[in-house]
Amino acid sequence: MERIVLCLMVIFAGTLAHKSSLQRPDRFFIRMCQLIEIVDQLNNYVNDLDPEFLPAPEDVKRHCERSAISCFQQVQLKSVNAGDNEKKINVLTKQLMRKLPPTNAERRQKQRLTCPSCDSYEKKPPKEFLERLKSLIQKMIHQHLS
């Protein structure tokens, strides 16, 4: 009788531990939401950005989203004039470059798919660059949640 009660307690405790581990914060989702906020903040300074044309991926194939995000992250957004806005733009750009946490799907993926190089994407002005980045992040959030 004691063994049965002990076994049931172990099974119950294991079930609770399993449920609590599933409820930990989703680091990927949190990071993607942070990126959306960063892009929105950068949009406030779009007139202060160097009008240099930047490679801006669009219509990214499935499973090439991370590659496209890395293309966006490699670009150095520059301020036209020095001052407080330049400091804010530099801080936001550095935050934009932080590495994304892996997702479960990426951990399971055995083979790497061939994705276009950053140089192959059409170059756009900073405003459109930021719009395309935000669109890609939103697409990745949608795919992650579905």
Side-chain angles (χ1 to χ4, degrees):
M1 180 71 169
E2 290 175 12
R3 289 183 186 178
I4 293 173
V5 171
L6 184 61
C7 286
L8 289 175
M9 286 176 45
V10 168
I11 291 170
F12 180 71
T15 304
L16 286 178
H18 180 68
K19 284 183 181 178
S20 65
S21 70
L22 292 176
Q23 294 173 350
R24 68 175 190 247
D26 185 346
R27 289 180 44 222
F28 181 80
F29 179 74
I30 291 169
R31 178 69 181 123
M32 297 308 279
C33 290
Q34 289 171 344
L35 286 176
I36 292 275
E37 290 175 21
I38 292 166
V39 170
D40 286 341
Q41 289 176 32
L42 281 168
N43 269 321
N44 294 332
Y45 301 106
V46 79
N47 294 330
D48 296 327
L49 294 173
D50 184 358
E52 173 187 1
F53 279 50
L54 309 164
E58 186 179 42
D59 299 328
V60 177
K61 295 180 199 172
R62 184 125 169 105
H63 304 295
C64 285
E65 292 91 355
R66 275 209 184 243
S67 171
I69 285 285
S70 71
C71 291
F72 280 110
Q73 290 176 323
Q74 290 173 13
V75 171
Q76 183 65 38
L77 294 170
K78 300 173 197 148
S79 178
V80 175
N81 48 10
D84 286 342
N85 288 351
E86 180 184 32
K87 291 176 185 174
K88 291 175 186 174
I89 289 169
N90 288 340
V91 167
L92 291 170
T93 302
K94 285 179 184 170
Q95 291 174 356
L96 192 65
M97 290 183 206
R98 284 185 33 225
K99 187 177 177 184
L100 295 177
T103 62
N104 290 335
E106 289 166 346
R107 289 184 190 120
R108 288 189 301 261
Q109 187 178 350
K110 301 282 185 223
Q111 61 188 11
R112 293 281 172 216
L113 300 172
T114 310
C115 299
S117 70
C118 296
D119 297 333
S120 67
Y121 293 112
E122 186 178 0
K123 294 187 183 227
K124 294 291 180 181
K127 182 169 181 56
E128 194 167 338
F129 172 86
L130 292 171
E131 288 170 0
R132 286 186 179 188
L133 174 57
K134 186 174 181 177
S135 174
L136 178 61
I137 294 168
Q138 290 170 336
K139 175 184 174 184
M140 291 175 73
I141 289 172
H142 177 72
Q143 288 175 353
H144 181 71
L145 294 176
S146 54

